[in-house]
Amino acid sequence: MTDHLTIVTHPLVQHKLTLMRDKNTSTGEFRALLREISALLAYEVTRELELTTRAIETPMQEMDAPVLKGKKLALVSILRAGNGLLDGVLELIPSARVGFIGLYRDEATLKPVQYYCKLPEGLEDRLVIVVDPMLATGNSSAAAVDLLKAAGATNIRFMCLLAAPEGVARMAEAHPDVPIVTAALDKRLNDKGYILPGLGDAGDRMFGTK
Ligand code: URA
């Protein structure tokens, strides 16, 4: 994957995203759509995984058949909204290892501070897919990738539902080696850091906390 930003324009993704954006969509529907759309995004983010072959026997004859090469990949969710993307991705890649990074924003410095981090071992040998539905300012995403690189990861991709130009620019500056896969690039952030037109607070909408 060479492009820094990939927008998944598949009609199913775009249709489901519109339903998710609609403020009248219920929590249950939002959650189901999120699961479906994250599987479709995972399809794109894993498009260039390396393959090797394994000798098998079909009922007809022997063959060398393609299988994924290397260690199981790692999914890393940025808490809490990233968790909403896990089920859909795991449906496609059930043996992936899963890590979690929790960050909050220090109101004095406005910088992300880590409050939780549990990562799979051997990150240096795995493709690491970071999941967070909203790439807004890019501060927490950049901080999460800092952490992953410090833990040894070298092959990292970022998967989100929506990206703001500000977040894409921040990631391009901090981590130009990390390709981003998203369903849409929206217009801009508002003064509270929410994406416009966006879909509101992704965590609140998927967990029904508002
Ligand atoms: N996080 C959200 O949940 N929504 C936004 O619009 C931006 C960040």
Side-chain angles (χ1 to χ4, degrees):
M1 189 169 280
T2 46
D3 290 343
H4 189 250
L5 180 70
T6 301
I7 299 171
V8 181
T9 55
H10 193 288
L12 287 177
V13 170
Q14 294 304 313
H15 180 82
K16 289 176 195 297
L17 180 60
T18 297
L19 298 177
M20 294 183 76
R21 288 183 189 273
D22 189 334
K23 67 177 185 181
N24 295 315
T25 296
S26 70
T27 300
E29 287 167 324
F30 188 93
R31 224 177 256 161
L33 287 160
L34 185 60
R35 190 186 181 110
E36 292 163 8
I37 213 171
S38 43
L40 293 166
L41 292 174
Y43 183 79
E44 190 60 42
V45 92
T46 53
R47 181 179 284 282
E48 288 159 33
L49 283 185
E50 267 190 88
L51 292 172
T52 181
T53 55
R54 193 168 75 201
I56 60 163
E57 277 178 51
T58 76
M60 310 301 288
Q61 62 178 199
E62 294 176 355
M63 75 175 285
D64 289 324
V67 286
L68 292 173
K69 189 175 174 184
K71 275 202 176 184
K72 307 285 182 236
L73 61 78
L75 290 178
V76 175
S77 162
I78 303 183
L79 298 174
R80 74 179 159 150
N83 285 15
L85 296 167
L86 288 178
D87 286 351
V89 182
L90 286 170
E91 242 164 58
L92 221 62
I93 319 166
S95 56
R97 306 312 190 230
V98 183
F100 298 90
I101 294 177
L103 300 162
Y104 70 89
R105 194 164 74 144
D106 183 304
E107 292 307 330
T109 64
L110 300 183
K111 297 239 165 74
V113 181
Q114 175 195 322
Y115 66 86
Y116 187 78
C117 184
K118 185 79 183 169
L119 299 172
E121 291 186 342
L123 284 188
E124 54 283 355
D125 300 321
R126 301 182 192 275
L127 168 66
V128 179
I129 301 175
V130 182
V131 293
D132 190 355
M134 311 297 271
L135 177 58
T137 62
N139 288 336
S140 54
S141 318
V145 174
D146 283 341
L147 250 156
L148 290 166
K149 287 184 175 174
T154 56
N155 187 8
I156 305 173
R157 293 175 197 177
F158 188 89
M159 189 185 116
C160 58
L161 266 188
L162 289 185
E166 294 89 335
V168 174
R170 172 89 178 88
M171 284 292 279
E173 179 204 340
H175 299 294
D177 57 316
V178 175
I180 298 165
V181 171
T182 185
L185 179 63
D186 272 12
K187 285 208 184 90
R188 63 180 177 90
L189 297 180
N190 71 6
D191 57 3
K192 293 199 165 61
Y194 279 84
I195 298 177
L196 297 176
L199 50 72
D201 188 300
D204 282 342
R205 292 204 61 194
M206 72 181 74
F207 296 120
T209 40
K210 210 167 173 197

